[in-house]
């Protein structure tokens, strides 16, 4: 068991930019892609993920600093700190349930494929941290490893079912043929956000407003260009944070860079995926009587679309405003502000890129996320305490949108309390 644990820990420590290409290469070989072609695809995807991570890092650093300055400037008094997804993911992989869960998650996925309960082969191993975090919280609550594993796997089953259901929308809008998006947080927010977006589209007057990137560009010319939109949003955020004009423009340039670079990095990912997607379909046609199989991947593939990333950036100041005005909220948004485009990925696709509807639905969705993250704070704090990086002196508590605001993990936690001693 110790050897197994050490092996998994070594793989996890490599990070997604190494893990994902490695598994892509192995999956490509399984689907009979020639080794040379499989290697090039895997490396291309690795480069794409590295680029996406660099752009997300730029976005996180820029927005994080601005958000902190905004909080200090307006004197927000919120006691639960959003520490972001990396802390929750690290705590999940460091938990006792992690080695068993990684094997169990793979086994359940293969079993569901064999029984035709899913079309998705989820190779996004890094994002298994969502299922592991759910199991880890259940284990901390119950002290029972079996119950914790079962509850974590329950979340996996739900994610795979919804990933299948939403895949046609994703494939059509983002051009991701043969792909489903299995990131646990994206699916969880989709379960809340997509019905809300549908309701928004039915509101008289509002439902008929069309504000897609193409429509914005058509109406506003140069000001509708994604890079200019990023520049304007960044300058406004900088001024709200109390930056001087120069620093505000600097933030604007950073967000403009994100708007330009993210689609290009995602394009690299898609180029690497095409041979594997084609081979997977040929394999299924030959071995499963033409049965369709989806490759489950990270929602980073959706973050490059102008409608999605524009909606996510617009929701940053809205989320901060909601945190201040919502009665009962105690979460200070910070670490996961840069990942809001991951949460709106499905909504933007379901509304066919209508930024107006996506932002309205996203506003309600983020409000719900704040309340869930507030309630989840005790369990989230217990999850990350073992890392030794976060002080809980004076009653300080921690949460995040990615884990704490995730309705599926919240449900797992609530279910686990039924089995608590």
């Amino acid at each position: 068991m110790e050897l197994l644990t050490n092996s998994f820990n070594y793989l996890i420590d490599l990070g997604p930019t190494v893990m994902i290409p490695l598994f892509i290469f192995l999956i490509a070989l399984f689907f009979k892609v020639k080794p040379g072609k499989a290697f090039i695809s895997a490396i291309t995807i690795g480069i794409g993920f590295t680029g996406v991570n660099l752009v997300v890092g730029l976005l996180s650093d820029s927005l994080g600093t601005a958000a902190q300055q905004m909080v200090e400037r307006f004197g927000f008094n919120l006691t639960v700190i959003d520490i972001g997804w990396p802390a929750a993911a690290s705590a999940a992989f460091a938990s006792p349930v992690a080695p068993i869960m990684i094997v169990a998650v793979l086994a359940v996925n293969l079993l569901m494929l064999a029984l035709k309960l899913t079309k998705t082969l989820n190779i996004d191993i890094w994002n298994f941290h969502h299922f592991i975090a759910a199991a880890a919280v259940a284990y901390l609550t119950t002290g029972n490893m079996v119950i914790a594993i079962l509850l974590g796997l329950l979340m996996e089953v739900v994610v795979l079912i919804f990933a299948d259901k939403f895949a046609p929308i994703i494939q059509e809008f983002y051009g991701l043929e043969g792909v489903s998006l299995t990131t646990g947080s994206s699916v969880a927010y989709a379960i809340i956000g997509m019905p809300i977006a549908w309701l928004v589209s039915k509101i008289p007057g509002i439902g008929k407003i069309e504000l897609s990137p193409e429509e914005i560009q058509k109406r506003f010319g140069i000001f509708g260009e994604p890079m200019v939109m990023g520049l304007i949003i960044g300058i406004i955020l900088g001024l709200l944070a109390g930056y001087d004009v120069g620093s505000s423009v600097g933030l604007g340039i950073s967000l403009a860079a994100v708007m330009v670079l993210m689609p290009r990095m995602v394009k690299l990912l898609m180029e690497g995926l095409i041979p594997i997607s084609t081979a997977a379909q040929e394999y299924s046609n030959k071995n499963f009587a033409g049965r369709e199989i989806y490759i489950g991947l990270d929602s980073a593939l959706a973050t490059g679309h102008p409608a999605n990333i524009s909606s996510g950036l617009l929701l940053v100041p809205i989320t901060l405003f909601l945190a201040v005005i919502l009665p009962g909220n105690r979460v200070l948004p910070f670490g996961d502000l840069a990942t809001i485009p991951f949460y709106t990925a499905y909504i933007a696709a379901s509304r066919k890129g209508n930024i107006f509807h996506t932002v309205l639905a996203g506003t309600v969705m983020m409000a719900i996320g704040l309340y869930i993250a507030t309630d989840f704070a005790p369990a989230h704090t217990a999850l990350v305490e073992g890392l030794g990086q976060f002080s809980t002196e004076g009653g300080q508590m921690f949460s995040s949108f990615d884990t704490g605001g995730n309705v599926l993990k919240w449900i797992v936690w609530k279910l686990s309390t039924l089995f608590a001693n």
Side-chain angles (χ1 to χ4, degrees):
M1 177 58 76
E2 184 178 352
L3 177 61
L4 181 64
T5 302
N6 290 338
S7 299
F8 279 127
N9 287 340
Y10 177 75
L11 279 174
I12 296 305
D13 289 342
L14 293 176
T17 54
V18 175
M19 284 179 60
I20 299 302
L22 174 61
F23 281 95
I24 286 284
F25 178 70
L26 295 175
I27 291 295
L29 293 180
F30 176 80
F31 286 132
K32 310 299 183 184
V33 178
K34 292 181 180 180
K37 197 171 185 179
F39 180 76
I40 293 299
S41 291
I43 295 301
T44 301
I45 288 169
I47 292 169
F49 267 111
T50 299
V52 167
N53 287 339
L54 288 172
V55 176
V56 171
L58 170 64
L59 182 60
S60 181
D61 291 343
S62 302
L63 284 180
T65 303
Q68 190 172 20
Q69 293 287 345
M70 210 177 300
V71 166
E72 293 174 359
R73 186 182 185 202
F74 292 103
F76 299 160
N77 185 24
L78 301 168
T79 57
V80 178
I81 307 299
D82 164 23
I83 54 175
W85 69 267
S90 298
F93 281 125
S95 70
V97 303
I100 299 173
M101 274 296 294
I102 292 174
V103 175
V105 167
L106 286 168
V108 166
N109 189 183
L110 293 174
L111 179 63
M112 289 179 69
L113 273 171
L115 296 176
K116 299 183 179 180
L117 298 175
T118 184
K119 297 179 182 179
T120 294
L121 175 61
N122 185 12
I123 63 171
D124 188 13
I125 310 295
W126 172 257
N127 272 308
F128 282 12
H129 72 77
H130 290 284
F131 313 132
I132 298 169
V137 168
Y139 180 64
L140 288 170
T141 303
T142 65
N144 188 310
M145 182 71 74
V146 174
I147 290 174
I149 296 297
L150 290 175
L151 288 174
L153 294 176
L154 174 63
M155 179 181 171
E156 178 199 9
V157 171
V158 172
V159 166
L160 288 174
I161 289 171
F162 277 101
D164 278 356
K165 183 176 179 60
F166 299 151
I169 298 171
I170 291 298
Q171 291 169 7
E172 179 183 356
F173 183 71
Y174 294 115
L176 299 173
E177 184 179 351
V179 169
S180 63
L181 302 181
T182 50
T183 304
S185 53
S186 299
V187 173
Y189 279 99
I191 291 171
I192 296 174
M194 287 176 67
I196 296 171
W198 180 83
L199 288 173
V200 166
S201 72
K202 300 302 177 183
I203 299 174
I206 290 177
K208 293 184 178 180
I209 297 176
E210 178 66 35
L211 198 62
S212 65
E214 295 78 16
E215 188 67 24
I216 292 173
Q217 194 166 344
K218 180 181 176 182
R219 290 191 179 191
F220 299 101
I222 188 175
F223 295 100
E225 291 282 351
M227 69 173 69
V228 179
M229 289 174 63
L231 176 67
I232 293 170
I233 292 170
I235 291 173
I236 292 171
L237 287 174
L239 294 174
L240 288 173
Y243 289 3
D244 59 32
V245 173
S247 297
S248 296
V249 172
L251 178 59
I253 293 295
S254 294
L255 296 196
V258 169
M259 297 289 280
V260 172
L261 294 175
M262 187 68 86
R264 296 184 183 182
M265 295 303 103
V266 171
K267 185 179 179 182
L268 267 179
L269 283 169
M270 292 170 67
E271 286 176 7
L273 283 171
I274 289 172
I276 292 94
S277 178
T278 303
Q281 199 54 54
E282 290 174 355
Y283 182 89
S284 65
N285 290 337
K286 182 179 179 180
N287 296 279
F288 296 103
R291 181 180 163 200
E292 191 173 23
I293 292 179
Y294 303 145
I295 304 298
L297 288 169
D298 195 318
S299 295
L301 286 166
T303 57
H305 195 284
N308 185 34
I309 197 165
S310 297
S311 300
L313 291 179
L314 288 169
L315 281 167
V316 169
I318 291 172
T319 301
L320 285 165
F321 181 67
L322 289 172
V324 176
I325 67 168
L326 288 177
N329 171 62
R330 294 191 294 124
V331 174
L332 170 62
F334 180 67
D336 274 338
L337 286 174
T339 58
I340 293 178
F342 285 78
Y343 312 147
T344 56
Y346 278 107
I347 303 175
S350 71
R351 292 299 96 211
K352 301 186 183 302
N354 190 324
I355 295 173
F356 184 68
H357 290 176
T358 301
V359 170
L360 286 181
T363 299
V364 179
M365 181 186 74
M366 295 308 291
I368 294 171
L370 283 166
Y371 280 124
I372 294 174
T374 295
D375 190 56
F376 200 85
H380 198 293
T381 302
L383 177 66
V384 300
E385 271 184 318
L387 294 176
Q389 299 173 355
F390 306 98
S391 173
T392 55
E393 292 181 6
Q396 180 67 67
M397 300 184 77
F398 306 99
S399 194
S400 65
F401 283 107
D402 189 76
T403 288
N406 185 312
V407 67
L408 295 179
K409 293 177 188 174
W410 179 79
I411 290 172
V412 165
W413 174 51
K414 290 299 182 182
L415 289 174
S416 71
T417 61
L418 301 176
F419 301 94
N421 295 327

